[in-house]
Amino acid sequence: MTLLVQQLVLGLLIGGVYVAVAIGFSLVWGVLNIVNLAHGGLVIIGAYLTWLLFSAFNVDPFLSIPIVAAALFVIGYVVQRLLINRVIRAPIFFTLLLTFGVNLVIINVLLLLFKSDFRSVTPSYSGSGLSLGGVQLPYIRVAGLAVALLLAGAVALFLARSRIGGAIQAVGADRDAAQLVGVDLRHVYALTFGIGAACAGVAGGLISTAQAITPSAGEPYTLQAFVVVILGGLGRVSATVVGGLLFGVVETLAQTMVPGLGAGWANAIAFAILVVVLAVRPRGLMGRPV
Amino acid sequence: MRSTRRECGEPVAEPLLQVRQLTAGFGAGPVLFEVDLDFYAGELVALIGANGAGKSTLLGVLSGLLPASSGSVHFAGRDLTNARPERVVAAGLAHVPQGRRLFAGLSVERNLRLGAYVRRDREIGADLDKVLDYFPALKDKLQRSAGTLSGGEQQMVAIGRGLMARPKLLMIDEPSLGLAPKVVDRVIEVAQTINRDGTSILLVEQDVLVALEAADRGYVLENGRVALSGTATELESNPEIRKAYLGI
């Protein structure tokens, strides 16, 4: 019983990372209609920046989150403005291809800069945690979940209250009508992609504290973000939170409680969830009707 | 040939909107041919014509959604030929598109406030109240999702959203589309009130009778060309119009 509770809690905590990974992915998909295959690459840039700040200047990984997010925002804004905006009205195949290419460029630049060595961020408190009634709560994971939920709240509040947030949602709902009220599409596209990249950066920071990173370590996160968005439903931050946490729990339980499955089955489990959701409820748990 | 010579020291009665030789189209050839149109401040002008005559295309070109291939658009002393849509709205030319095109998932209030997106002044709240005075039915529906309203209410939100830009000229495309006759009358009535309060209106309608009864003047578009223009009374008594559009 304690084992089950332990795995449930661990799944929720790990789900925090998935929430962080998927928020930006979902925003970009929902508003720009881009399935961003470079999302995992952006996540890993965030992880490397966190590692760089930690190893060179000894900055705590959680304190460097705002810096990393700001840097990724700038990268995302520029990539969208100069590159993706050129094919934004083309069929989705073109943006898929382009973001796939961007991802390759990111991985290879990271390889040039950092080699393929494993890097990890290990602040003094990594490895320690809290014990509540026999259930272990690693500090890193608890803080990660807290950061992810804060990020989700901040993005939701920004979309609901700010002027730019309104413009972003207007563009997501109807591009032409948004232009007619005076929204500059090129700018709002770039802002949206920048915010998506900033969220990816935050996720990368969390990931750098939980696992060793290499230039290609972001690959699985694009798939996981995709599954989380399908699971929760497109178009709402709250749906991403539910999808991310649930995905963390299902994955953890499947890997630890089902005999014969282990860590090597992560992708298979993700795909299985994807297939089941698409077959049973294509719009996701909380998505709007298609 | 995009530029036209700007005359200096023009007389005061310069039109608010001046369209010259406007030609536009995509792919298979032009949809608009050398359209000339003059619009004076304070007017309510009807733009009528059959389905596919180019009315919506003309509005799209004026508001910057569609490119013009030649000709010019001058509005309030500015050259807006092929200007980006955000510049057009900011100059005071707002477009209420056909089929309302509301931001469906957002609340009515958010939709209306987004209409004022280009504005930075402090009177946006006051203008929201003004819009609600025109459309009192929206007052207790501000927090409803815009997609859940009835067709008539959605049209009100669409016009209200256009008004929130505080335009000098409001172009309304087919407000009667899919609405019950009673609701159409109500919408047109409000358009006339808005016009009396000082906003010029360009009303695009397939329902010619409705449009001409409300308007001061009218233009008839046929196959992308201006076929006829004149005062509403002239057009209403024109035998060709009566035959082609009124079925009399």
Side-chain angles (χ1 to χ4, degrees), chain A residues 274-285:
Chain A
L274 187 68
V275 170
V276 170
V277 175
L278 287 177
V280 176
R281 196 180 160 86
R283 65 170 144 126
L285 295 172

Side-chain angles (χ1 to χ4, degrees), chain A residues 159-160 162-163 169 174 180, chain B residues 84 89 101 106 110 117:
Chain A
L159 288 175
S162 73
R163 178 172 175 273
Q169 293 189 77
D174 189 325
L180 288 181
Chain B
R84 296 190 58 83
V89 197
R101 306 290 291 266
L106 303 187
R110 205 93 200 274
Y117 183 74

Side-chain angles (χ1 to χ4, degrees), chain B residues 143-164:
Chain B
Q143 297 320 314
R144 288 262 298 273
S145 170
T148 65
L149 300 187
S150 72
E153 289 163 343
Q154 291 197 18
Q155 188 60 57
M156 295 174 194
V157 177
I159 294 176
R161 187 178 65 185
L163 277 178
M164 289 299 290

Side-chain angles (χ1 to χ4, degrees), chain A residues 159-167 169-170 173-174 176-186 188 288, chain B residues 63-65 84-86 89 94-97 101-106 110 114-120 161:
Chain A
L159 288 175
R161 294 289 158 80
S162 73
R163 178 172 175 273
I164 293 291
Q169 293 189 77
D174 189 325
D176 287 343
Q179 283 192 286
L180 288 181
V181 300
V183 172
D184 179 353
L185 279 189
R186 299 165 303 179
V188 168
R288 302 206 171 90
Chain B
S63 57
L65 282 183
R84 296 190 58 83
E86 57 268 22
V89 197
H95 178 174
V96 179
R101 306 290 291 266
L102 297 182
F103 306 122
L106 303 187
R110 205 93 200 274
L114 273 162
Y117 183 74
V118 289
R119 293 172 54 185
R120 296 282 191 177
R161 187 178 65 185

